[in-house]
Amino acid sequence: MFDSLSERLGGILDRLTGRGALSEADVDAALREVRRALLEADVALDVARTFTEQVKTNAVGVALIKSVKPGQMVVKLVHDQLIETLGSNADPIDLNAPAPVGIMMVGLQGSGKTTTTAKIARRLTEQGKRKVLMASLDTRRPAAMEQLAVLGQQVGVDTLPIVAGQMPPQIARRALEAGRLGGYDVVMFDTAGRTTLDDEMMAEAASVKQAAGPHEVLLVADALTGQDAVNLARSFDQRVGLTGIVLTRIDGDGRGGAALSMRAVTGKPIKLMGTGEKLNALEDFHPSRIADRILGMGDIVSLVEKAAATIDAEKAARVAEKMRKGAFDLADLRDQLVQMQNMGGIGGLVGMLPGVAKMKNQIANAGLDEKILKRQMAIIDSMTPKERRNPDVLKASRKRRIAEGSGTRPEDINRLLKMHRGMADMMKAMASQKRGPMAGLAQMMGFGGGMPSPEEMQKLAAKMPGGSPPGMPGGGQGLPPKMPGMPSSLPPNFPGTLPGLSPKMPGLGGFPGLGKKK
Amino acid sequence: MNDTPKQSWWQRLSGGLQRTSSSIATAISDLVSKRKLDAATIEELEELLIRADLGVDTAARIAAAIAAGRYDKQVSDTEAKAILASEVEKVLIPVAKPLAIDASAKPFVILVVGVNGSGKTTTIGKLAARFRREGRTVVLAAGDTFRAAAIDQLKIWGQRTGATVIAREQGSDAASLVFEALTAARSSAADVLIVDTAGRLQNKTELMSELEKVVRVMKKVEPQAPHAVLLVLDATVGQNALSQAAEFTRIAGVTGLVMTKLDGTARGGILVALAARHKLPVHFIGVGEGVEDLAPFAARDFANAIAGIEA
């Protein structure tokens, strides 16, 4: 969602980059554009004003005289200020209280409270290994309580049995009691929204808060909200008292100014963000990373973290071993594809890389995402185990059979095989360098040498227009070598899941399915 | 529209827009009673409009119109309000069109689209109630097969309004359900078929092509369908509404807008920007949570309400 804003700021600041000196007029011009961009991004007017003024204060006098590229300086100042406005460090949900810990969800109707409740419950259950009970306190919207019950089944989290005719505070107390008796770690209260900020809703929320005594009170707010975001956040904070904000629909193409606004007016951290309809589409909100993303610097840390969480460490180790021996077969490729899909598909991955916002949109527009991965998996699934282990046996008649079985064409199979060969070759090459997979990864990611310039990246993006694909550089070479400046500070103690990451990256390349048809 | 209901919706709307209008109006009167219309004042005026979600461009245009010929003059509070209202109204008049039901189409098919949580299902309930009051037979197609309990929600609306609901279990194919519903509505010669759809963000290619398919399948049964495609927008939405209108129009051929949740929100100004940019008719505004709280859109009332002028 921040892509549009980052593109915008990118455009403004690109004009400054490379000029010899930066006059005050330059700063003013840039900041006027920044302010306009912020407003168009739905950042609240006052927040936008404070923001630009702050940047200007910092800009005037300071390092601008020095020989640093002036454009870079402004980028840095805007960036620092973004981080400061968004809050400077990640702030997860706090469960540090006697069980059952209450988490109360508030927000307007349609902001995504119920879905977010289920997402958080799922996350706490799966990642935090907590026993969670969800209770719907929405006695107003038709079928709201059933909705939570259905979601509970989907994510495997218990919901409080529905008793008709109870008032929200009663339900809250009943939920708390059930939580205590049932030995639950966490009890979540999904309150009723209203279409608008009215007193009744606030009073109800306040009474629920009193009855439930929640440890966390989270405001669920739509990232597409306009200027009203400030009123929304401020009212809830004043009347109910918030401990944090969850931003939903961050996967839309909105510019997400609401995030800045709400954080600025309440001072309450944005703890999580909803990134899709699927019930696992919930991520930590890391202010500094988001600020990086706003400026088009990508979200490498997120990518790495997501990879770490999704990849099955054992499998990854096995694959790494095979890589070293140069025995990476199609079954392994399939595992990689599955893992890639779990990481949000090609679009999800690419979106986290720096400077590729445009490419991400093009990928989305071409509808490449999930489809290609699925098709490739279907091809592999249609092979016999023998074929998977030894793709060399695949001759025309076998390919025809596989094509029929997977609903593809022999060309698609050839492309897949080409990609696999490319990956296998690269892995062999890496293995023969007698360095650990870590070194290989580093090299692939562009540490070692030849870090491509942003210009190259742009050329790459330019080559990606929906119609004439393949740009994503050919064969098995893949995206990785082209990745621009990785932050030099990749966590040193980067965990044992690493080997799994490396084969993944080449997987990005090629896109066999992309070929000529589109 | 006769006068009685109009009065009541007007009251609701002005109640609803009160905060918009009072904040804008107060700010305007503060501005102009203190100062004359110089560059700084006009810029602040513009910012006030931005604050109401009118968008940078629209706000600039209206601010310029207010300044035109009055630059450096003292302008009274009332004048400023009237100018603001008339400029807003100018933009809105062309788009304030009622939703005309062609009685010869049996059924008249209304497809309702929008992003998640914009209020589609509730709007459908209100529309169904309205058509039932007008003595029409209504069929509702529970095409939101994705969201948990959306189907139940629509069924409840069906019971409340006496409309037939065609539904399948959650997760089934929306297009084939719509096919079934349209066939059923046709054979029973229903007056109106309202098709609910799952909420989707307009940048999700897959979901948008699913919507495209729903439209395509509809046309197989009835080439004229859908007769109307309503995009439901939430009043709190910001500039993203522009992108929503553009994309949904491209994919599903939006013919009109419904703005929901206008009751009490301080916003709704995005409608002015939408009118300026996309020229899509605005049919209804949702001004409350009750079944009857769906009012036809009236440019002058809306403009006045935004400017804080009493009726």
Side-chain angles (χ1 to χ4, degrees):
Chain A
M1 76 166 201
F2 293 98
D3 293 347
S4 322
L5 182 55
S6 57
E7 278 162 24
R8 175 107 203 178
L9 286 181
I12 296 161
L13 297 166
D14 277 353
R15 269 180 264 145
L16 294 175
T17 323
R19 285 222 230 148
L22 195 66
S23 68
E24 196 181 330
D26 281 338
V27 178
D28 279 344
L31 291 183
R32 246 198 317 277
E33 286 298 310
V34 169
R35 181 174 159 280
R36 188 189 159 98
L38 292 173
L39 289 176
E40 281 180 0
D42 290 323
V43 173
L45 188 60
D46 301 325
V47 177
R49 192 182 285 144
T50 321
F51 182 89
T52 45
E53 271 163 19
Q54 201 60 48
V55 173
K56 193 177 172 185
T57 317
N58 297 343
V60 164
V62 196
L64 288 179
I65 326 117
K66 291 186 184 168
S67 56
V68 201
K69 267 192 182 174
Q72 288 173 342
M73 200 61 221
V74 177
V75 173
K76 188 183 179 306
L77 291 167
V78 172
H79 175 253
D80 289 352
Q81 191 59 36
L82 275 172
I83 290 181
E84 200 182 315
T85 312
L86 284 165
S88 35
N89 47 6
D91 219 332
I93 286 188
D94 180 21
L95 295 178
N96 198 5
V101 183
I103 300 178
M104 177 177 163
M105 314 292 288
V106 296
L108 291 183
Q109 235 174 45
S111 57
K113 272 186 307 301
T114 305
T115 309
T116 305
T117 304
K119 283 181 179 179
I120 293 178
R122 180 186 178 279
R123 187 186 169 95
L124 293 176
T125 308
E126 292 193 358
Q127 294 184 12
K129 306 287 177 219
R130 309 287 171 144
K131 197 176 169 200
V132 183
L133 177 69
M134 300 191 290
S136 171
L137 277 51
D138 190 344
T139 52
R140 296 172 51 93
R141 188 164 61 107
M145 298 175 111
E146 287 79 5
Q147 185 182 352
L148 190 70
V150 171
L151 289 172
Q153 279 171 7
Q154 283 174 14
V155 297
V157 171
D158 296 340
T159 46
L160 187 73
I162 300 170
V163 175
Q166 281 194 325
M167 295 304 288
Q170 274 178 294
I171 305 175
R173 277 189 287 269
R174 185 160 60 89
L176 217 52
E177 190 58 30
R180 220 170 274 132
L181 295 175
Y184 289 93
D185 300 312
V186 176
V187 177
M188 300 196 62
F189 307 93
D190 178 24
T191 64
R194 299 288 190 277
T195 58
T196 164
L197 295 168
D198 66 0
D199 287 341
E200 195 196 354
M201 167 172 61
M202 294 296 180
E204 185 181 305
S207 72
V208 167
K209 188 182 178 189
Q210 211 190 358
H215 187 59
E216 288 267 18
V217 181
L218 302 177
L219 170 66
V220 180
D222 184 347
L224 306 181
T225 309
Q227 298 279 321
D228 204 33
V230 272
N231 294 335
L232 172 74
R234 198 181 277 136
S235 317
F236 270 106
D237 197 28
Q238 283 168 357
R239 292 287 303 269
V240 189
L242 302 174
T243 59
I245 297 165
V246 181
L247 214 53
T248 57
R249 241 178 281 175
I250 225 155
D251 52 328
D253 62 357
R255 297 177 183 180
L260 251 85
S261 305
M262 292 192 292
R263 166 75 207 196
V265 298
T266 61
K268 298 291 157 61
I270 298 166
K271 298 200 163 186
L272 295 163
M273 49 192 199
T275 53
E277 293 189 337
K278 290 189 185 143
L279 290 165
N280 62 0
L282 184 74
E283 293 177 20
D284 286 330
F285 184 85
H286 290 280
S288 58
R289 286 183 214 160
I290 295 300
D292 283 351
R293 209 160 130 184
I294 291 177
L295 289 173
M297 289 156 79
D299 208 357
I300 293 279
V301 195
S302 269
L303 171 66
V304 167
E305 198 174 73
K306 200 164 184 181
T310 323
I311 290 165
D312 180 330
E314 261 179 52
K315 255 189 195 168
R318 225 169 42 229
V319 171
E321 189 51 40
K322 282 190 172 181
M323 269 168 58
R324 231 168 273 131
K325 290 181 189 152
F328 176 78
D329 66 19
L330 285 169
D332 301 320
L333 175 61
R334 189 182 186 284
D335 286 343
Q336 296 304 309
L337 293 174
V338 170
Q339 290 188 343
M340 206 159 134
Q341 200 176 33
N342 289 343
M343 288 172 70
I346 299 164
L349 271 173
V350 172
M352 283 187 271
L353 300 173
V356 286
K358 263 184 221 147
M359 207 190 284
K360 181 187 174 190
N361 289 340
Q362 279 154 353
I363 288 177
N365 289 342
L368 289 182
D369 212 2
E370 300 272 303
K371 261 195 204 153
I372 290 203
L373 293 181
K374 275 192 192 148
R375 204 178 300 150
Q376 293 181 341
M377 279 188 253
I379 292 175
I380 298 177
D381 286 345
S382 300
M383 295 178 183
T384 64
K386 187 182 161 198
E387 286 163 349
R388 277 176 226 163
R389 270 196 307 275
N390 183 13
D392 291 339
V393 302
L394 287 172
K395 298 288 178 269
S397 67
R398 283 183 191 258
K399 284 181 190 165
R400 263 200 307 280
R401 189 203 79 234
I402 294 165
E404 260 172 47
S406 57
T408 54
R409 297 169 311 170
E411 300 94 280
D412 298 327
I413 294 162
N414 287 335
R415 282 195 205 103
L416 177 83
L417 291 175
K418 195 176 165 200
M419 174 177 98
H420 168 252
R421 215 157 35 233
M423 285 171 72
D425 289 349
M426 184 154 82
M427 285 168 187
K428 254 185 241 165
M430 277 165 55
S432 68
Q433 287 169 345
K434 304 235 164 112
R435 291 189 293 179
M438 179 68 197
L441 174 85
Q443 191 198 31
M444 281 164 53
M445 286 196 143
F447 283 109
M451 284 222 267
S453 62
E455 290 80 47
E456 276 179 52
M457 207 57 212
Q458 284 209 328
K459 260 186 248 156
L460 189 65
K463 265 198 272 172
M464 262 303 281
S468 63
M472 301 281 269
Q477 302 290 317
L479 193 52
K482 296 251 182 185
M483 274 202 282
M486 274 279 286
S488 43
S489 58
L490 198 70
N493 58 343
F494 195 52
T497 46
L498 249 184
L501 187 61
S502 29
K504 173 160 319 336
M505 302 321 288
L508 261 174
F511 286 143
L514 256 170
K516 274 156 207 146
K517 70 182 208 161
K518 122 82 221 239
Chain B
M1 264 187 292
N2 56 34
D3 279 333
T4 339
K6 185 180 173 187
Q7 186 58 30
S8 67
W9 93 253
W10 158 251
Q11 283 165 346
R12 265 190 240 123
L13 176 60
S14 18
L17 289 172
Q18 200 175 15
R19 276 195 299 144
T20 318
S21 50
S22 59
S23 57
I24 292 187
T26 316
I28 289 178
S29 38
D30 285 355
L31 283 172
V32 295
S33 57
K34 280 178 203 154
R35 280 175 276 172
K36 53 187 175 183
L37 274 176
D38 55 11
T41 314
I42 287 160
E43 198 187 318
E44 282 184 44
L45 218 55
E46 188 181 328
E47 291 184 344
L48 293 167
L49 295 173
I50 290 172
R51 235 186 270 258
D53 278 329
L54 265 75
V56 180
D57 294 337
T58 315
R61 227 187 20 250
I62 291 178
I66 292 174
R70 301 178 190 90
Y71 193 74
D72 262 359
K73 281 187 188 153
Q74 297 283 354
V75 177
S76 78
D77 175 29
T78 334
E79 274 175 309
K81 275 187 187 178
I83 297 160
L84 180 67
S86 76
E87 289 300 326
V88 170
E89 192 189 348
K90 256 187 228 167
V91 183
L92 292 176
I93 280 178
V95 300
K97 290 179 193 152
L99 174 64
I101 304 288
D102 177 4
S104 68
K106 297 230 178 243
F108 184 87
V109 182
I110 303 172
L111 178 66
V112 181
V113 299
V115 302
N116 326 52
S118 56
K120 282 179 298 301
T121 311
T122 307
T123 300
I124 289 173
K126 291 177 179 177
L127 281 173
R130 185 179 187 89
F131 294 139
R132 294 288 296 142
R133 278 202 304 279
E134 292 169 0
R136 304 181 201 266
T137 50
V138 178
V139 177
L140 306 179
D144 182 354
T145 52
F146 182 83
R147 180 164 61 98
I151 300 164
D152 295 337
Q153 196 182 343
L154 200 71
K155 280 181 179 163
I156 291 170
W157 278 112
Q159 282 164 15
R160 283 188 196 168
T161 59
T164 316
V165 179
I166 310 269
R168 283 189 199 168
E169 72 277 19
Q170 194 191 339
S172 49
D173 180 48
S176 80
L177 171 106
V178 168
F179 184 91
E180 181 190 326
L182 183 48
T183 315
R186 203 186 206 187
S187 63
S188 67
D191 294 314
V192 182
L193 168 66
I194 312 179
V195 179
D196 194 8
T197 60
R200 65 202 78 219
L201 288 166
Q202 72 277 13
N203 61 337
K204 303 269 167 162
T205 318
E206 280 185 36
L207 298 177
M208 291 306 273
S209 50
E210 182 196 277
L211 183 62
E212 209 172 5
K213 183 179 165 196
V214 167
V215 176
R216 205 165 58 230
V217 165
M218 245 181 222
K219 289 194 188 300
K220 282 188 187 158
V221 188
E222 169 59 61
Q224 301 296 314
H227 302 86
V229 179
L230 301 184
L231 171 64
V232 179
L233 294 168
D234 177 331
T236 56
V237 72
Q239 303 305 306
N240 192 247
L242 296 170
S243 148
Q244 289 176 24
E247 273 306 294
F248 277 103
T249 303
R250 193 171 69 79
I251 298 292
V254 173
T255 61
L257 305 174
V258 177
M259 177 159 270
T260 60
K261 311 181 193 176
L262 253 178
D263 43 334
T265 176
R267 307 300 164 201
I270 189 64
L271 266 190
V272 185
L274 269 172
R277 178 83 65 91
H278 290 294
K279 321 260 185 265
L280 280 167
V282 185
H283 296 314
F284 295 104
I285 53 177
V287 291
E289 291 179 42
V291 181
E292 318 218 325
D293 295 334
L294 188 72
F297 178 75
R300 154 142 274 169
D301 294 344
F302 193 87
N304 283 348
I306 280 195
I309 297 172
E310 298 299 319

